[in-house]
Amino acid sequence: MKKFMNDPADAVTDYLVGLAAAHPTTVTFDAERRIVVRTTRARAGKVGLVAGGGSGCEPLHTGFVGHGMLDAACPGEIFTSPVPKQIVAATLAADSGAGVLHVIKNFSGEVMNFGMATELLAFEGIAVDSVLVTDDVSIPQMPGTAGRRGLGATVLVEKIAGAAAERGDDLASVTAIARRVTDRARTFGVGLSSCTPPLRGKPIYDLPDGEIEFGIGISGEPGRERVAMRDAHQIADAMVSEVVTDLQPSPGAQLLVLVNGMGATPLSELYLLYGECDRLLRARGLEPVRSLVGNFVTSLDQAGAALTILELDDALTVLWDAPVRTASITWGAEA
Amino acid sequence: MKKFMNDPADAVTDYLVGLAAAHPTTVTFDAERRIVVRTTRARAGKVGLVAGGGSGCEPLHTGFVGHGMLDAACPGEIFTSPVPKQIVAATLAADSGAGVLHVIKNFSGEVMNFGMATELLAFEGIAVDSVLVTDDVSIPQMPGTAGRRGLGATVLVEKIAGAAAERGDDLASVTAIARRVTDRARTFGVGLSSCTPPLRGKPIYDLPDGEIEFGIGISGEPGRERVAMRDAHQIADAMVSEVVTDLQPSPGAQLLVLVNGMGATPLSELYLLYGECDRLLRARGLEPVRSLVGNFVTSLDQAGAALTILELDDALTVLWDAPVRTASITWGAEA
């Protein structure tokens, strides 16, 4: 294992210290409560947005705290949900009187701990609502299972609901917008390697030469199936097929297309993959009109990529385009 | 080799197609001339900025074409300078009547080909000036050698000179600003792995467990020396020491600190490293006031990172903060 790291047990804390040091006017790390909050508190009366999850998926969520996205994030240990106490602290920090929306990825621990936090918050007099992100099409929708994981769509929910909150929408409206995004977004991921958690010191599993994983998540677990390595064109074809078949967008739909790297895949490969997906989508009569290409929801040092597609409408597009200023996603009004 | 790729011979072209497809309102790929240009041409009378170099270092330079940075970029084959014809075409595309600045990294092929292009351009009636980026402190300054390579400081030159050009500065002023950046910036890089060029299909060199490379460049070559793996704190200490000893910033100087990933190092490790560098710089009485953390000047899928420090002054800080909109660096006015 070769990582820029000190004591492996401190890898998450050391990252959070560095993040806050790099962006002091954007985020502050509250080491005692283990939460990352906006340095400049949002104006009174803005709906608060809180998300949290296992660390190792950076920049999710800590890199998305700031103007136009999250008010607070609570990072757990590597690939482990934050504890309820952190979620409560983040919610209290995010509240400015108009209630707080929890963005929850559908992983059992995260769902359970956000649920416990919400029970604790019932005594605080804060209106709390939640949205459950379930965009992973690699898992069939079946009763009696934990169901689909929340993956790349989480970034889109946080950006779009964050813009709605910044605009002044009330809690019910921000929640409705967030749910609209999850309803209209799907993801399929492909792994070219395993990943190495700091305390483990070696890859989670072996992946032989010539084999890759289809249907991966964001916690270093193996995918749905192991298949033979193939061209980017063929991988993109599988990704587009999986996502579009499940999403069933309207003919001619306008799409936001996210090609998300898992952490160790260079940007040039992600753009190459974007080009393939764009072409395949257009061949199906669909129209990519917004894109996001880079490492946004990762699994430590895994090589791989995931395709997320969101079917846009005018309301969602306006919110996507709204200015945002976080450590890892930032843009202004059109230059 | 596992990459998102089709025919390895097409890896660069396929990337460029994808980049332009992802950001159609920002950049256009002129496949015939093999240049990437702004989709919306800059206003008449703006000084043009052109850069180019071997591919494999993405997002440099193609990801930095747009409002507030480059007007055109000319990508060569992997780790190979663009040919003079491309540089001429990029310069013609970038010219809007006020002359063009070439940002040249100090690699022999790049210097030679930009020189030949400038000779060809003498017949075109375009005022052309150049800045040579030489920020790599791992190579001693000695007469009779090719000298120091241009590394991470290239991004800072392109951003700051780009803002000066966008503001309306004339060619002499933009060139002077660019040279001020190169004079005040230094870089030291550390590799944790080799990298794999598409047509080679295997790593350029073997790097045994427990060993890393100090003093790397951006073309996959081995570093200045091979040393034992060590903690992030110790690596940061070496980086800061190499850079600061050479730069000799004024006591209390305000710094822009770039922690640049080489392509396969996760963002969380880069922020961890940033935290270490920030602390060490403050202990020396220096003051990081701006940061940039991420993959900006890379070597394909190499794991590693480089520290670049620029000693700021008020004029440079204003230009750094100016709005920019490219594929890979974008921000607006303060939110």
Side-chain angles (χ1 to χ4, degrees):
Chain A
M1 174 176 57
K2 291 179 190 168
K3 290 181 192 290
F4 294 108
M5 196 170 60
N6 298 306
D7 184 336
D10 295 333
V12 174
T13 301
D14 289 354
Y15 153 71
L16 293 166
V17 167
L19 177 75
H23 305 282
T25 62
T26 304
V27 291
T28 300
F29 171 44
D30 179 335
E32 191 189 327
R33 294 177 184 76
R34 286 194 77 75
I35 59 176
V36 171
V37 298
R38 285 198 200 189
T39 298
T40 306
R41 204 184 159 97
R43 62 178 166 69
K46 190 193 84 73
V47 169
L49 251 75
V50 167
S55 290
C57 304
E58 290 71 27
L60 184 81
H61 302 271
T62 45
F64 304 139
V65 174
H67 179 90
M69 277 183 92
L70 300 178
D71 294 276
C74 34
E77 294 303 310
I78 297 285
F79 299 151
T80 305
S81 170
V83 297
K85 197 173 167 184
Q86 282 174 280
I87 301 169
V88 168
T91 306
L92 292 173
D95 177 54
S96 63
V100 173
L101 177 65
H102 288 166
V103 179
I104 307 171
K105 305 188 303 300
N106 191 31
F107 291 92
S108 325
E110 198 168 314
V111 171
M112 185 175 70
N113 287 2
F114 268 91
M116 288 170 62
T118 303
E119 287 177 26
L120 295 170
L121 285 161
F123 304 100
E124 299 286 348
I126 300 175
V128 174
D129 211 336
S130 68
V131 57
L132 192 64
V133 187
T134 59
D135 52 314
D136 176 15
V137 302
S138 74
I139 294 176
Q141 290 281 42
M142 289 198 301
T145 70
R148 295 178 155 185
R149 298 168 291 193
L151 304 177
T154 313
V155 181
L156 313 185
V157 172
E158 293 175 6
K159 170 65 185 82
I160 289 172
E166 210 68 63
R167 180 174 66 182
D169 288 13
D170 64 15
L171 181 58
S173 305
V174 173
T175 306
I177 282 280
R179 292 193 180 141
R180 183 128 120 246
V181 176
T182 60
D183 286 347
R184 300 160 73 102
R186 300 289 187 282
T187 295
F188 188 80
V190 172
L192 305 190
S193 79
S194 181
C195 67
T196 300
L199 282 166
R200 182 179 168 90
K202 59 179 185 177
I204 293 180
Y205 55 86
D206 287 323
L207 190 54
D209 283 350
E211 296 185 15
I212 62 178
E213 294 276 339
F214 264 25
I216 59 166
I218 54 173
S219 308
E221 67 276 47
R224 183 183 69 188
E225 56 188 320
R226 188 166 290 185
V227 302
M229 183 61 193
R230 54 199 69 191
D231 284 353
H233 175 72
Q234 293 166 307
I235 291 173
D237 193 54
M239 286 174 152
V240 166
S241 176
E242 292 270 358
V243 169
V244 170
T245 302
D246 197 279
L247 179 62
Q248 299 195 284
S250 318
Q254 298 204 318
L255 309 178
L256 190 168
V257 178
L258 162 60
V259 172
N260 174 60
M262 301 312 298
T265 288
L267 196 58
S268 53
E269 293 181 45
L270 300 178
Y271 273 112
L272 187 153
L273 197 56
Y274 178 87
E276 296 291 342
C277 293
D278 184 274
R279 197 163 48 77
L280 291 162
L281 290 165
R282 289 181 197 281
R284 287 171 180 254
L286 300 164
E287 189 188 3
V289 294
R290 293 292 184 278
S291 72
L292 187 67
V293 180
N295 294 294
F296 298 99
V297 184
T298 63
S299 288
L300 293 169
D301 55 355
Q302 182 171 30
L307 171 67
T308 299
I309 292 179
L310 167 64
E311 183 172 355
L312 287 166
D313 59 25
D314 290 349
L316 296 179
T317 304
V318 164
L319 292 165
W320 177 256
D321 289 344
V324 56
R325 179 172 287 256
T326 71
S328 285
I329 294 187
T330 175
W331 54 75
E334 192 68 39
Chain B
M1 173 177 58
K2 291 179 192 168
K3 290 181 191 289
F4 294 109
M5 196 171 60
N6 298 305
D7 185 335
D10 295 333
V12 175
T13 301
D14 289 353
Y15 153 71
L16 294 166
V17 167
L19 178 74
H23 305 282
T25 62
T26 304
V27 290
T28 299
F29 172 44
D30 180 334
E32 192 189 326
R33 295 177 182 77
R34 286 193 77 75
I35 59 175
V36 171
V37 298
R38 282 199 202 190
T39 298
T40 305
R41 204 184 158 97
R43 63 178 166 67
K46 190 193 85 71
V47 168
L49 251 77
V50 167
S55 290
C57 305
E58 290 72 26
L60 184 82
H61 302 271
T62 44
F64 303 139
V65 174
H67 180 90
M69 278 184 90
L70 300 178
D71 294 276
C74 34
E77 294 304 310
I78 297 285
F79 298 151
T80 306
S81 170
V83 296
K85 197 174 167 184
Q86 282 175 280
I87 301 168
V88 168
T91 306
L92 293 173
D95 178 54
S96 61
V100 173
L101 177 66
H102 287 165
V103 179
I104 307 171
K105 305 187 303 300
N106 190 30
F107 291 91
S108 326
E110 198 168 313
V111 171
M112 185 176 70
N113 287 1
F114 269 92
M116 289 171 63
T118 303
E119 286 176 26
L120 295 169
L121 285 161
F123 304 100
E124 299 286 348
I126 300 175
V128 174
D129 211 336
S130 67
V131 58
L132 192 64
V133 187
T134 60
D135 53 312
D136 177 14
V137 301
S138 75
I139 294 176
Q141 291 280 44
M142 289 197 303
T145 70
R148 294 177 157 187
R149 299 168 290 193
L151 304 177
T154 313
V155 182
L156 313 184
V157 172
E158 293 176 5
K159 169 65 185 80
I160 288 172
E166 210 69 63
R167 181 173 68 183
D169 288 13
D170 64 15
L171 181 58
S173 305
V174 173
T175 305
I177 281 281
R179 291 193 180 140
R180 182 127 122 246
V181 176
T182 60
D183 286 348
R184 299 161 73 103
R186 300 290 189 280
T187 295
F188 187 79
V190 172
L192 305 190
S193 78
S194 181
C195 67
T196 300
L199 281 166
R200 182 179 168 91
K202 60 179 185 177
I204 294 179
Y205 55 87
D206 287 323
L207 189 54
D209 282 350
E211 297 186 13
I212 62 179
E213 294 277 338
F214 265 24
I216 59 166
I218 53 174
S219 307
E221 66 276 47
R224 182 183 70 187
E225 56 188 320
R226 188 165 289 185
V227 302
M229 182 63 195
R230 55 200 67 191
D231 283 354
H233 175 72
Q234 294 166 307
I235 292 174
D237 193 54
M239 286 173 152
V240 166
S241 176
E242 292 272 357
V243 168
V244 170
T245 301
D246 197 279
L247 179 62
Q248 299 195 285
S250 319
Q254 298 204 319
L255 309 178
L256 191 168
V257 178
L258 163 59
V259 171
N260 174 60
M262 302 311 298
T265 288
L267 195 57
S268 53
E269 293 181 43
L270 300 178
Y271 274 112
L272 187 153
L273 198 56
Y274 178 87
E276 297 290 343
C277 292
D278 183 274
R279 197 162 46 77
L280 291 162
L281 290 164
R282 289 180 196 281
R284 287 171 180 255
L286 300 164
E287 189 188 3
V289 294
R290 293 293 184 277
S291 72
L292 187 67
V293 180
N295 294 292
F296 297 100
V297 185
T298 64
S299 287
L300 293 169
D301 54 356
Q302 183 172 29
L307 172 68
T308 299
I309 292 178
L310 168 64
E311 183 173 354
L312 287 166
D313 60 24
D314 290 348
L316 296 179
T317 304
V318 164
L319 292 165
W320 177 256
D321 289 343
V324 57
R325 180 172 287 256
T326 70
S328 285
I329 294 187
T330 175
W331 54 75
E334 193 68 39

